[in-house]
Amino acid sequence: MDFSLPADLVAYLGELDRFIEREIKPLEEADDNIRFFDHRREWARTDFENGGLPRHEWEALLRKAKDLADAAGHLRLPVPKQYGGRDGSNLWMAVIREHFAAKGLGLHNDLQNEHSIVGNFPVVTMLDRYGRDDQKAMIDGSIRGKYRITFGLTEPHHGSDATHMETRAVPATRDNVKGWIINGEKMWTTGMHVATHCALFARTSGDDGDARGITCFLVPAKSEGVKVEEYMWTFNMPTDHPRVSFTDVFVPEDALFGEVGRGLSLAQCFVHQNRIRQAASSLGAAVYCINESVTYARERKPFGKALAENQAIQFPLVELATQAEMLRLLIRKTAWEMDQLTQEQIERTLSDRVSMCNYWANRLCCESADRAMQVHGGMGYSRHKPFEHIYRHHRRYRITEGSEEIQMRKVAGFLFGYMGPGKH
């Protein structure tokens, strides 16, 4: 068996590194933009007087970096060729995301808001697989920033249990136009402050707990009855995660996104791609923390002796490095297998391993960041090092992004036989 990476992928990593040095680093260092990444990062990014939202200057800088990457042919790597992409595989994306995160904080890649010069576009995948032709026409605009489609799944009283959602959509006619009226609330509807649309999931039939009967709608963000109730201040700021209410929101029939009653297929399409790539990013951030700790331990000589000679320093880093190496193999193998399967086959036969990668990578990243803070002593806990930023972000992943417990429940379902092959 050959576990080496494809030669063209290795060559492309070098191409990306050269692009970062040539075009992204100069932008990062211009006009004091480094304030978004050094010890001032949280204050520079956050407009505390405007609900804690991201500052306009911060989001404009991210857009500028994306535009540079798009012009150079990198941003759309995972997007199908008919939309200007390269049909980039899950394996390529996993390797690239680990590579970027292992470089540390920078304009090339920022895990706090999924920014990257090689884009992650799960909504594009949803539009391509499930959208009508007029909805697929939104793909180019969603990549360029003309459209911003948020993800309206989680609810205040149900969290990750989407099948018990209280949001309802019922058929209706208004001004001789057939459509639906939607009522409900959503939480953590990330990006609603700049959204043009919300991919809103609502029950249209069936009972609470049924997987069938949930439908997705593309709801214009400015529709009458759509209201941002509050922005939730979070462990890592800024926040773009609001609670949004939908009160008697009318949408015409062409707002339907996918099949009636089969909306969870769209949600699964979104999360599987997202979670394997998130796992790779978490692994890369863990590797960054481990490497920085090793370098510092060799250089730092309290009482005339290098920290690296102390087994209390060595052994925890040995454990973390070993776990990182094993996890890398699991992530790459899982990503490669995903590339061989349809979405339905992934859900039926591989979903448990996607969950394994996700929850263990987030856990490893938190442990590695925490160890880095300890190894670096007082400076490690200051904001002059990036470890607290990495820790807070990935601790949030363990709580919110499909949560550790939800991922472990998926693995348990396959392990004990009540999910997996033959159970769908």
Side-chain angles (χ1 to χ4, degrees), residues 229-250:
E229 298 288 350
E230 62 178 327
Y231 282 94
M232 312 303 294
W233 285 42
T234 54
F235 194 38
N236 52 329
M237 294 290 283
T239 178
D240 57 354
H241 313 298
R243 177 171 61 89
V244 184
S245 63
F246 299 83
T247 305
D248 294 331
V249 176
F250 178 80

Side-chain angles (χ1 to χ4, degrees), residues 268-385:
Q268 293 292 351
C269 170
F270 183 99
V271 300
H272 276 102
Q273 237 187 41
N274 228 27
R275 285 173 183 168
I276 193 66
R277 296 172 183 182
Q278 179 193 313
S281 294
S282 298
L283 170 62
V287 169
Y288 170 80
C289 293
I290 294 167
N291 290 343
E292 289 293 301
S293 296
V294 170
T295 299
Y296 182 80
R298 295 165 105 176
E299 296 172 349
R300 180 73 167 171
K301 295 181 179 179
F303 311 109
K305 180 181 178 181
L307 283 174
E309 297 180 32
N310 188 334
Q311 289 182 344
I313 298 292
Q314 295 175 357
F315 286 4
L317 291 173
V318 166
E319 287 190 11
L320 294 171
T322 303
Q323 291 169 10
E325 187 64 27
M326 292 189 293
L327 180 61
R328 177 179 295 111
L329 294 175
L330 178 62
I331 289 174
R332 292 181 179 179
K333 179 175 182 291
T334 302
W336 178 82
E337 289 180 320
M338 290 175 69
D339 292 330
Q340 319 307 312
L341 303 175
T342 66
Q343 173 59 38
E344 292 73 18
Q345 290 171 327
I346 291 171
E347 177 63 21
R348 191 168 61 249
T349 66
L350 199 63
S351 186
D352 60 329
R353 270 175 284 164
V354 176
S355 291
M356 288 178 187
C357 294
N358 186 271
Y359 87 77
W360 193 255
N362 291 334
R363 181 181 293 186
L364 176 64
C365 187
C366 286
E367 292 177 357
S368 300
D370 184 66
R371 176 56 55 179
M373 286 189 274
Q374 294 181 51
V375 170
H376 283 76
M379 285 300 291
Y381 284 95
S382 78
R383 298 194 178 195
H384 293 267
K385 295 291 183 180

Side-chain angles (χ1 to χ4, degrees), residues 37-93:
F37 304 99
D38 65 16
H39 63 280
R40 301 167 290 173
R41 54 189 168 264
E42 186 166 17
W43 296 90
R45 297 178 181 194
T46 307
D47 189 347
F48 288 102
E49 303 304 317
N50 186 28
L53 287 169
R55 292 191 189 278
H56 172 74
E57 296 86 353
W58 167 230
E59 294 191 316
L61 178 64
L62 299 179
R63 185 69 254 171
K64 190 170 184 178
K66 286 185 175 74
D67 290 344
L68 288 173
D70 201 13
H74 300 308
L75 184 69
R76 304 185 189 215
L77 175 80
V79 174
K81 289 181 180 178
Q82 63 262 40
Y83 308 117
R86 301 190 185 186
D87 287 322
S89 67
N90 282 297
L91 175 61
W92 275 55
M93 285 296 289

